[in-house]
Amino acid sequence: MARKTLVINPQLCVGCHSCEVACKQVNKLPVGVFRIKIEKIGPYYDENGKLRLRFRVVCCVQCENPKCVEVCPTKALEKQETGVVTVNRDLCNGCGKCVEPCPLRAIWLNPETGKIEKCDVCVDKSE
């Protein structure tokens, strides 16, 4: 089966937040909760003294060996055969143990639902 992923070129990101807003709308996420987030880096001066501004896209990259899946005590996180790490919200108890081991900090706790949120490349919307 084909592996699914979200491809983002950070060199081309201009910080418009369109992907962030679209994701929040599609997934009905409250303020402060994300599945994809754009962070501003800078302004800063580069090695040539030129003022720069960059953006960092924070989003689950569907790790090969996801630590979040390993530490989830309820097995709410599962890596599918497509490579996508999904959340079973019926099993999620909102303990947040999966948040800390994520190397990208790409898992958020949704205070409205008490469950975690993370990018699943809209796998539920493409079926």
Side-chain angles (χ1 to χ4, degrees):
M1 179 169 277
R3 185 172 160 86
K4 294 187 176 203
T5 189
L6 184 63
V7 179
I8 300 169
N9 184 338
Q11 271 61 39
L12 297 177
C13 179
V14 296
C16 71
H17 297 268
S18 294
C19 58
E20 185 180 300
V21 171
C23 177
K24 288 178 80 60
Q25 287 178 334
V26 166
N27 294 293
K28 298 173 179 57
L29 300 175
V31 173
V33 179
F34 306 89
R35 289 189 180 183
I36 184 170
K37 183 177 185 348
I38 308 303
E39 295 179 345
K40 182 172 79 167
I41 301 171
Y44 65 94
Y45 290 98
D46 68 12
E47 62 279 351
N48 298 321
K50 194 170 186 181
L51 193 59
R52 299 281 184 186
L53 181 64
R54 290 186 316 138
F55 299 93
R56 176 176 174 250
V57 180
V58 180
C59 173
C60 178
V61 295
Q62 318 304 327
C63 296
E64 190 66 36
N65 298 302
K67 299 294 181 205
C68 59
V69 172
E70 286 179 30
V71 302
C72 180
T74 64
K75 306 298 182 215
L77 286 161
E78 182 180 11
K79 183 166 178 135
Q80 306 297 320
E81 66 179 49
T82 59
V84 178
V85 177
T86 58
V87 180
N88 180 332
R89 286 180 181 73
D90 292 334
L91 295 177
C92 180
N93 65 7
C95 69
K97 290 185 178 174
C98 56
V99 175
E100 190 64 32
C102 176
L104 302 175
R105 302 289 184 255
I107 301 175
W108 293 269
L109 190 62
N110 185 330
E112 289 184 2
T113 64
K115 313 288 182 169
I116 62 158
E117 298 287 347
K118 63 166 290 304
C119 178
D120 60 6
V121 295
C122 292
V123 72
D124 60 330
K125 290 156 186 71
S126 63
E127 296 173 349

